[in-house]
Amino acid sequence: MSVPAEVVEKARKLREEIEFHNVRYYRLDDPLITDAEYDRLMAELLAIEARYPELVTPDSPTQRVGAPPVEAFTEVRHEVPMLSLENAFSEEDLTAFDRRVRKELSRDTLEYVAEPKLDGLAVNLLYQDGVLVQAATRGDGEVGEDVTHNVRAVRAIPLRLKGEDFPDRFEARGEVFMPKRGFLALNERARRSGEKTFVNPRNAAAGSLRQLDARVTASRPLSFYAYGIGAFPDARLPATQHELLESLQRWGLPVSPEYRVVRGAAGCLEYYRSLGERRHDLPYDIDGVVYKVDDLKAQAELGFVSRAPRWAIAHKFPAEEARTRVVGIDVQVGRTGVLTPVARLEPVFVGGVTVTNATLHNADEIRRKDVRPGDTVIVRRAGDVIPEIVRVVPELRKPGAEPFRMPEVCPECGSAVEAEPGEVLARCSGGLYCPAQHKESIKHFASRRAMDIEGLGDKLVDQLVGRKLIATVADLYRLDLDRLAGLDRMGEKSAANLLAALERSKRTTLARFLYALGIRDVGEVTAKVLSEHFGSLEALMEATEEELLAVADVGPVVSRHIRLFFAQPHNREVISQLLACGVSWEKPAPAPRKLPLQGLVFVLTGTLASMSRDEARARLEALGAKCTGSVSRNTSFVVAGSEPGSKLDKASELGVPVLDEKGFLDLLERGRP
Ligand code: IVH
């Protein structure tokens, strides 16, 4: 049975359309149609191909969903060996490379293509008459594995090229990689379903591409950039590397938008520095820069030594991961009593600095990573991020290494350690009795964004508390030259400076003062909101739970912490001493604009005919109201659509007013209750 011409035409059109949307979605990050519409196009094409299997072509987008599993990969001998790159680890290495190349070519100056060194795996793509017919991994450079089915599942790689001016048969080479965002999402999914996670995007990319079941590859967020060629007809070669990249791009192969043509070693180094600064903002991992002599004739002249071309070099960024040993695990006690385990490390140079500590966050994290004292670990320090332990190297664990256990009493004061239900954090219950919490709370009080007492650093606080010169933050304002004189590294001048700074800090704002008190869960933003809402310290100190809950941002937990704090006679005493010492502020300006429903709490139940629940919530919130999920005494109104649930019963039980849909719409219209 021959295939009707209109079906052939329909299949062709569908393929074209789907590929167009693939590019919008996977390459440009700018889809024009919804996922459902895309799926519909795909389903239509699949149906045609199921009916007329002879219409299935290797470049059909249906081939991307992944072929059924194979037993093993077959080997592919590369027509042109896939080389590796020499490395430069310093600016000197790079200038030496440039000097060598210029000498060899007898040139004064050379242009290079500079581009990111992607952290993925190299593939060779064979295109015949514009159709992808074979894809292979690098393998040992001579022989790789046939991963055609898998590569077809990578949406960024075109199954059919665009335009007409490509050679009948040629190979493009480039890197398959996994963007950071996709990597994090993939690992998050794996964690949730209890599967093994990947160590880094590179491993994830390699593991995803080398799958016997290409359907698995299809489900992984892989991407691709082309950076060169393999077999390619000489007669069709342009004069330069950058023109080659332009051609590949014109034919529909994605090329890194970061590549540049630069001049001389100075141009290379400038590119290296500027890319290094943006490294962490790129959506994918890179581990350096690759420079390639731009002139292709010069490339041919230079040739290669053993396995690496003499016309290219990889300039590596400092490693961000390194191996070291955990000497011990300390437990630090923070201002609010939270116990944080910290790994003490054998010093190691990583990410450009020497690292001796890495936070382990909490007991859950240690359990998950199973870090034990004595373990060999991989430490990571990326950019300005605090160093952390990525994983343990289990093969190097010494026999008898004991799992870490969170202490049951505070290592600083011996008070019991509590883990609140539903919280992963362990806390010392000692409060200000605990010297660690005590010192940390004074440091916090003095910090820049709180009372801003210049010159009152950590070391000084440790001394002041250690020598019992201060017991509370109010005592800071009773310090004098006599008492400061005996401290280490405290000359007369710095003592006078400190006293002046203390004096200056007395003039503050209510928001800063509230933040400085260190009430649990009252950060800078909440402190500001509270100060604007209540206008005075007295009003806040006497606020009832209802009044606190009416503040945007304040939920039951925060409200409880605020009330607990002000209920403590000790805290009230310190506050009155601070005020007596002269700490003061001007009355805060009220919140810029009070929204009409501010302070009101709504609960939505049942179905509204005129809008979705999300929309109703958004409209209420736009007017300043809060929406919560359950009815309580704090609920101002329940809005009941058709078929309301038990929330309506609860409302009548508690005497909460109920609005029907009309009443609700009227309220939105009026903008006030
Ligand atoms: S060119 C003849 N360019 O690095 C030159 N390689 O260390 C061969 N790589 O196997 C490769 N980004 O997997 C080149 N922009 C780039 C690259 C790059 C990453 C990888 C590639 C190669 C390895 C060599």
Side-chain angles (χ1 to χ4, degrees):
M1 181 182 68
S2 73
V3 186
E6 65 272 20
V7 177
V8 176
E9 181 54 18
K10 177 82 194 163
R12 193 190 61 75
K13 276 219 170 105
L14 279 168
R15 267 176 212 139
E16 221 176 78
E17 207 177 337
I18 294 171
E19 272 310 310
F20 169 79
H21 290 300
N22 273 344
V23 171
R24 300 286 317 189
Y25 188 95
Y26 291 101
R27 216 163 312 149
L28 306 176
D29 260 344
D30 186 18
L32 289 179
I33 56 174
T34 64
D35 289 3
E37 285 168 306
Y38 178 88
D39 291 345
R40 221 166 19 244
L41 293 174
M42 198 64 146
E44 207 176 329
L45 181 58
L46 277 166
I48 295 178
E49 290 182 352
R51 175 113 195 263
Y52 305 103
E54 59 269 51
L55 282 186
V56 181
T57 57
D59 68 329
S60 173
T62 56
Q63 302 305 295
R64 291 195 187 279
V65 293
V70 292
E71 292 281 308
F73 294 113
T74 50
E75 291 190 341
V76 176
R77 178 162 288 278
H78 297 303
E79 226 168 290
V80 177
M82 289 184 81
L83 304 174
S84 65
L85 291 167
E86 265 205 66
N87 290 320
F89 293 104
S90 65
E91 300 201 348
E92 291 70 42
D93 287 355
L94 187 265
T95 46
F97 162 80
D98 172 62
R99 212 177 309 120
R100 214 164 50 230
V101 174
R102 279 188 295 112
K103 183 158 174 243
E104 187 83 16
L105 297 168
S106 314
R107 300 256 196 104
D108 287 340
T109 173
L110 276 175
E111 302 211 316
Y112 297 94
V113 164
E115 62 195 354
K117 185 165 193 300
L118 299 156
D119 212 2
L121 75 160
V123 290
N124 183 70
L125 310 173
L126 173 61
Y127 283 93
Q128 233 158 327
D129 299 316
V131 175
L132 174 71
V133 293
Q134 189 187 61
T137 61
R138 176 166 175 269
D140 63 4
E142 302 288 335
V143 177
E145 287 170 328
D146 186 328
V147 285
T148 313
H149 292 311
N150 311 77
V151 160
R152 285 206 180 109
V154 178
R155 306 295 203 278
I157 296 178
L159 301 179
R160 171 181 283 281
L161 299 177
K162 287 196 301 192
E164 262 135 39
D165 64 333
F166 42 76
D168 296 343
R169 182 175 187 285
F170 78 98
E171 291 173 343
R173 288 182 176 172
E175 199 87 346
V176 168
F177 60 93
M178 189 175 287
K180 294 182 212 169
R181 213 166 41 170
F183 166 74
L184 292 175
L186 178 67
N187 262 358
E188 183 56 37
R189 247 184 294 148
R191 233 189 315 275
R192 254 190 255 133
S193 53
E195 286 163 38
K196 222 177 140 239
T197 54
F198 289 103
V199 171
N200 55 39
R202 207 205 83 78
N203 284 20
S208 299
L209 193 70
R210 298 185 61 262
Q211 284 284 338
L212 293 172
D213 185 348
R215 288 169 299 194
V216 177
T217 313
S219 74
R220 301 281 170 81
L222 293 171
S223 198
F224 172 83
Y225 279 138
Y227 48 63
I229 49 169
F232 201 93
D234 276 347
R236 300 293 313 277
L237 279 175
T240 58
Q241 178 80 19
H242 79 267
E243 285 165 289
L244 194 61
L245 292 178
E246 282 167 9
S247 300
L248 294 175
Q249 191 156 28
R250 205 173 49 249
W251 301 333
L253 285 151
V255 168
S256 167
E258 306 294 337
Y259 87 82
R260 298 283 179 276
V261 178
V262 299
R263 206 173 173 74
C268 291
L269 293 178
E270 194 184 316
Y271 180 90
Y272 178 84
R273 279 180 217 124
S274 97
L275 193 66
E277 278 170 21
R278 293 191 299 119
R279 175 183 185 186
H280 295 286
D281 302 328
L282 294 177
Y284 41 80
D285 273 357
I286 62 173
D287 57 358
V289 169
V290 182
Y291 313 109
K292 295 171 186 167
V293 171
D294 194 29
D295 182 340
L296 292 191
K297 281 221 177 69
Q299 284 190 8
E301 205 175 313
L302 289 159
F304 49 90
V305 274
S306 64
R307 316 198 121 267
R310 290 162 72 202
W311 44 265
I313 195 160
H315 191 179
K316 296 302 232 10
F317 290 132
E320 299 196 317
E321 290 190 359
R323 217 156 91 164
T324 188
R325 217 172 60 83
V326 176
V327 184
I329 297 178
D330 286 347
V331 174
Q332 287 179 355
V333 184
R335 171 170 65 84
T336 56
V338 173
L339 267 47
T340 307
V342 177
R344 272 186 295 113
L345 305 171
E346 261 171 24
V348 60
F349 191 73
V350 55
V353 299
T354 301
V355 166
T356 52
N357 291 311
T359 173
L360 287 162
H361 303 290
N362 54 53
D364 257 20
E365 169 101 353
I366 299 194
R367 216 170 299 124
R368 197 158 58 74
K369 293 185 175 161
D370 189 21
V371 181
R372 306 181 185 187
D375 275 353
T376 300
V377 293
I378 306 297
V379 184
R380 182 175 172 82
R381 182 186 177 273
D384 297 328
V385 181
I386 330 170
E388 61 162 4
I389 290 181
V390 184
R391 66 191 166 92
V392 171
V393 184
E395 298 81 7
L396 298 179
R397 173 168 288 162
K398 298 246 167 56
E402 288 286 330
F404 172 79
R405 288 186 44 161
M406 214 46 164
E408 280 162 19
V409 297
C410 171
E412 298 280 345
C413 72
S415 304
V417 168
E418 305 169 331
E420 280 174 34
E423 251 197 281
V424 292
L425 301 177
R427 280 177 201 276
C428 158
S429 58
L432 290 183
Y433 164 76
C434 172
Q437 289 190 54
H438 185 200
K439 282 182 203 166
E440 291 305 316
S441 67
I442 295 173
K443 290 173 193 170
H444 170 78
F445 181 84
S447 65
R448 203 169 54 78
R449 310 189 73 95
M451 297 300 281
D452 192 17
I453 307 174
E454 226 183 304
L456 189 62
D458 291 2
K459 294 240 162 64
L460 196 49
V461 172
D462 289 346
Q463 280 195 67
L464 290 170
V465 176
R467 298 188 186 202
K468 301 210 166 21
L469 289 173
I470 55 170
T472 72
V473 288
D475 296 336
L476 285 169
Y477 293 105
R478 302 193 189 107
L479 288 170
D480 52 29
L481 279 177
D482 272 358
R483 257 179 275 192
L484 289 176
L487 298 174
D488 300 343
R489 276 175 297 165
M490 178 63 71
E492 213 165 288
K493 182 139 193 333
S494 33
N497 285 345
L498 179 62
L499 291 178
L502 279 161
E503 199 53 40
R504 271 199 307 280
S505 76
K506 288 183 187 169
R507 286 208 61 74
T508 185
T509 63
L510 177 56
R512 275 175 176 272
F513 183 75
L514 291 176
Y515 173 61
L517 291 177
I519 305 166
R520 220 168 117 186
D521 290 329
V522 178
E524 267 184 287
V525 174
T526 309
K528 185 146 196 295
V529 173
L530 287 171
S531 97
E532 282 165 357
H533 186 96
F534 288 99
S536 77
L537 179 62
E538 296 71 32
L540 173 62
M541 285 173 75
E542 305 313 326
T544 61
E545 167 144 28
E546 282 74 19
E547 286 166 335
L548 283 168
L549 284 175
V551 182
D553 270 17
V554 174
V557 176
V558 184
S559 128
R560 193 166 68 87
H561 289 152
I562 295 172
R563 282 163 49 77
L564 272 176
F565 184 90
F566 290 121
Q568 301 261 343
H570 166 82
N571 291 335
R572 297 181 86 97
E573 176 58 28
V574 172
I575 288 171
S576 70
Q577 287 177 13
L578 284 167
L579 299 179
C581 288
V583 172
S584 64
W585 51 82
E586 293 191 355
K587 189 171 164 52
R593 181 167 60 102
K594 194 163 175 342
L595 292 165
L597 301 186
Q598 203 150 323
L600 297 182
V601 181
F602 284 74
V603 173
L604 299 163
T605 179
T607 313
L608 296 172
S610 53
M611 65 184 87
S612 71
R613 198 178 285 190
D614 281 345
E615 195 182 334
R617 170 190 283 260
R619 305 242 337 230
L620 284 168
E621 286 175 350
L623 292 169
K626 256 183 27 169
C627 292
T628 65
S630 57
V631 182
S632 75
R633 284 182 204 289
N634 301 319
T635 311
S636 319
F637 291 98
V638 167
V639 177
S642 59
E643 293 175 50
S646 60
K647 292 174 189 172
L648 195 57
D649 305 334
K650 188 82 197 250
S652 61
E653 187 187 315
L654 295 174
V656 173
V658 177
L659 294 172
D660 62 8
E661 181 151 1
K662 174 150 187 327
F664 173 60
L665 292 173
D666 286 348
L667 177 139
L668 288 181
E669 184 123 325
R670 274 199 316 272
R672 62 190 155 74

